[in-house]
Amino acid sequence: VEAIGEFGTWPPEIWTDHEGLKIEAAEKKGRLSVSIKANAKMNPGLVRLFDANGSSNARAFLISNIQEANEVEPNDNTDQAQELNATDSGIIVNGILKKGDSDFFRIALRKGQLFLAETNAYSLGSLIDPFLVMMEPDGHEVAFASDSHNLDPILNYTAKTSGVHYLQLFAVAHPAATA
């Protein structure tokens, strides 16, 4: 796992409140080694890095049994869309939206198939307001999701046609800057 931020001292000490989670600093600065016990509870754990000078903010580390993949760049348009092959239980995509970035994912859907997508960016402490857009195989936008219970969107879509659909993720900064 990559820890993002400034580190005056490496390796730091690491604290977590999750009994099934073990995190150690790797030799390379900014890298963490994570071990999860087989019987670990499927819930979030809080994690803090600290040294004699202070500590990081607590961050959530989510533990689940859902398949995971990392975002692969470039995926900035439908021609470069990253293909996702989700199992029936879904897939979690871990990634980073850079300023001005828009990520596209290619998903094969059958007519009548339910598709659910959500972000967990704002809820995990990211200072963005994300949006999700679903496009049919012909490229037309058929669903849009903005805020749900917080700034993270939840997109619930039933495919009207069979074929490759495109999911777009983009965001604006939060709080919004005004002049």
Side-chain angles (χ1 to χ4, degrees):
V1 172
E2 182 178 356
I4 299 172
E6 298 294 322
F7 308 100
T9 303
W10 194 265
E13 297 291 324
I14 301 169
W15 168 88
T16 180
D17 69 343
H18 196 295
E19 293 177 10
L21 189 58
K22 180 179 178 185
I23 303 175
E24 297 175 319
E27 187 174 320
K28 184 177 178 184
K29 192 172 189 176
R31 298 288 179 168
L32 304 173
S33 175
V34 178
S35 301
I36 302 169
K37 291 182 182 177
N39 64 348
K41 291 183 181 178
M42 301 292 158
N43 61 353
L46 293 176
V47 177
R48 255 186 221 278
L49 279 61
F50 65 95
D51 62 19
N53 297 314
S55 70
S56 68
N57 291 329
R59 295 290 187 205
F61 186 95
L62 304 179
I63 298 174
S64 77
N65 56 1
I66 298 174
Q67 172 189 349
E68 292 193 35
N70 289 326
E71 173 203 7
V72 178
E73 292 283 359
N75 62 346
D76 302 326
N77 55 53
T78 56
D79 290 337
Q80 299 173 325
Q82 179 179 345
E83 186 166 352
L84 296 181
N85 293 312
T87 64
D88 289 339
S89 62
I91 188 169
I92 295 170
V93 179
N94 299 301
I96 297 173
L97 274 175
K98 297 171 287 304
K99 186 175 184 177
D101 195 13
S102 186
D103 292 336
F104 286 80
F105 301 93
R106 186 174 47 248
I107 303 141
L109 297 175
R110 297 176 313 280
K111 182 178 181 178
Q113 183 177 358
L114 176 65
F115 178 81
L116 178 68
E118 67 178 285
T119 66
N120 286 296
Y122 180 79
S123 61
L124 291 174
S126 181
L127 296 177
I128 64 171
D129 184 357
F131 301 86
L132 292 169
V133 176
M134 176 61 78
M135 290 173 256
E136 284 190 329
D138 64 6
H140 286 94
E141 181 180 312
V142 291
F144 175 85
S146 183
D147 305 347
S148 60
H149 61 287
N150 60 25
L151 295 181
D152 288 324
I154 298 174
L155 185 139
N156 189 338
Y157 172 71
T158 302
K160 310 276 187 283
T161 61
S162 293
V164 174
H165 289 64
Y166 297 94
L167 178 68
Q168 178 187 15
L169 168 64
F170 66 96
V172 296
H174 177 78
T178 57

